[in-house]
């Protein structure tokens, strides 16, 4: 028998090793394909727009108005809401938040009658948090509200209100006021309503910024967002839409 040279044997072994490596890689890729397809399908499912029949009532902050919610309403519509189910409540920023909360109660009743819904969701900003909390807790509005989303709400007051204490609303918004004491005493998140807040150290108006947090709520700490910046922050507003749809 003719003996093969060592060099030729090494060449054969190398070729075999390469072939084995290529075969193994192809097998691994083939096995991974179903997982890749599954992940793609999951991503597609996650990208599907949300939908809800729950009417949403937006409650602005101090000196605000319905125009504050233009971006928010657009985000909600992009996530499946009909424009006919989106409402903005306006109130007197310089009056009395008790009166404003009573007005919110009437507004919600009108929305329920108009839409035929048994409950609404409320999304508030800044001093709108005080108006909303008084309505839900003191006036018993929690029975008519499925979700409460508070964006930079002055829920425990803000020392920034010291700049406008000539107005009753600002007196009520100042930390330690009797109004704040009334809405924070005992259970801050009454009833079966789902509560969530969004707050940030970069707020600049709600001082301390942790004032927004509510015991019993899902409190979301936003890395850095200004008080007014929230109103056009489509990322946060998208999170709120998904919360309301939950």
């Amino acid at each position: 028998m003719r003996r093969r040279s060592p060099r030729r044997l090494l060449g054969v072994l190398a070729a075999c090793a390469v072939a084995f490596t290529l075969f193994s890689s192809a097998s691994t890729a083939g096995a991974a394909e179903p997982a890749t397809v599954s992940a793609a399908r999951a991503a597609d499912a996650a990208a599907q727009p949300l939908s809800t029949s729950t009417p949403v009532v937006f409650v602005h902050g101090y000196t605000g108005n319905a125009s504050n919610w233009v971006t928010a309403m657009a985000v909600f519509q992009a996530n499946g809401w009909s424009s006919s189910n989106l409402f903005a409540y306006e109130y007197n920023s310089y009056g009395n938040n008790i009166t404003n909360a009573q007005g919110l109660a009437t507004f919600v009743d009108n929305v329920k009658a108009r839409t035929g819904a048994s409950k609404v969701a409320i999304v508030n900003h800044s001093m709108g948090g005080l108006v909303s909390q008084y309505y839900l807790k003191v006036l018993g509005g929690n029975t008519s509200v499925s979700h409460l989303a508070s964006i930079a709400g002055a829920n425990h007051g803000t020392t920034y209100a010291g700049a406008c204490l000539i107005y009753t609303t600002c007196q009520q918004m100042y930390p330690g006021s009797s109004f704040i004491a009334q809405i924070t005493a005992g259970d801050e998140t009454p009833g079966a309503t789902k509560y969530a807040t969004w707050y940030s150290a970069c707020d600049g108006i709600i001082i301390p910024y942790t004032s927004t947090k509510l015991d019993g709520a899902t409190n979301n700490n936003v890395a850095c967002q200004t008080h007014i910046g929230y109103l056009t922050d489509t990322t946060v507003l998208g999170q709120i839409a998904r919360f309301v749809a939950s």
Side-chain angles (χ1 to χ4, degrees):
M1 174 185 265
R2 186 177 178 183
R3 300 178 63 183
R4 295 180 179 177
S5 68
R7 180 175 299 177
R8 187 174 179 183
L9 286 172
L10 288 173
V12 172
L13 291 172
C16 290
V18 170
F20 178 77
T21 300
L22 291 174
F23 177 79
S24 299
S25 298
S27 299
T28 302
E33 186 174 353
T36 302
V37 172
S38 178
R41 287 176 178 171
D44 288 341
Q48 294 301 311
L50 302 171
S51 62
T52 182
S53 59
T54 303
V56 182
V57 174
F58 296 90
V59 184
H60 65 74
Y62 181 70
T63 73
N65 54 54
S67 67
N68 292 163
W69 300 111
V70 171
T71 301
M73 289 188 177
V75 169
F76 270 71
Q77 288 183 62
N79 280 282
W81 270 264
S82 166
S83 60
S84 61
N85 270 339
L86 302 174
F87 303 86
Y89 170 60
E90 293 189 313
Y91 60 86
N92 181 7
S93 292
Y94 311 105
N96 187 311
N97 281 322
I98 294 176
T99 303
N100 294 335
Q102 292 168 340
L104 177 58
T106 300
F107 189 85
V108 168
D109 286 344
N110 289 339
V111 168
K112 289 167 58 181
R114 178 174 173 178
T115 62
S118 59
K119 292 187 177 183
V120 306
I122 289 180
V123 178
N124 66 56
H125 177 246
S126 193
M127 192 172 77
L130 300 187
V131 177
S132 302
Q133 288 301 105
Y134 194 93
Y135 164 55
L136 266 73
K137 182 169 183 174
V138 181
L139 302 181
N142 63 82
T143 58
S144 292
V145 179
S146 63
H147 296 72
L148 185 287
S150 187
I151 311 170
N155 300 321
H156 292 88
T158 172
T159 57
Y160 200 86
C164 56
L165 290 178
I166 59 171
Y167 301 113
T168 299
T169 49
C170 288
Q171 295 170 16
Q172 294 168 331
M173 189 163 45
Y174 198 81
S177 70
S178 58
F179 185 94
I180 296 291
Q182 190 172 12
I183 64 173
T184 58
D187 188 0
E188 293 186 347
T189 52
T193 304
K194 293 183 179 180
Y195 295 78
T197 72
W198 281 259
Y199 66 103
S200 174
C202 298
D203 187 293
I205 299 297
I206 301 301
I207 305 171
Y209 71 95
T210 53
S211 170
T212 297
K213 297 168 62 177
L214 291 170
D215 289 340
T218 298
N219 298 299
N220 301 280
N221 190 349
V222 180
C224 191
Q225 184 53 276
T226 62
H227 193 66
I228 300 301
Y230 279 111
L231 298 176
T232 54
D233 187 331
T234 55
T235 298
V236 169
L237 293 172
Q239 292 172 4
I240 293 169
R242 288 189 288 276
F243 163 70
V244 172
S246 66

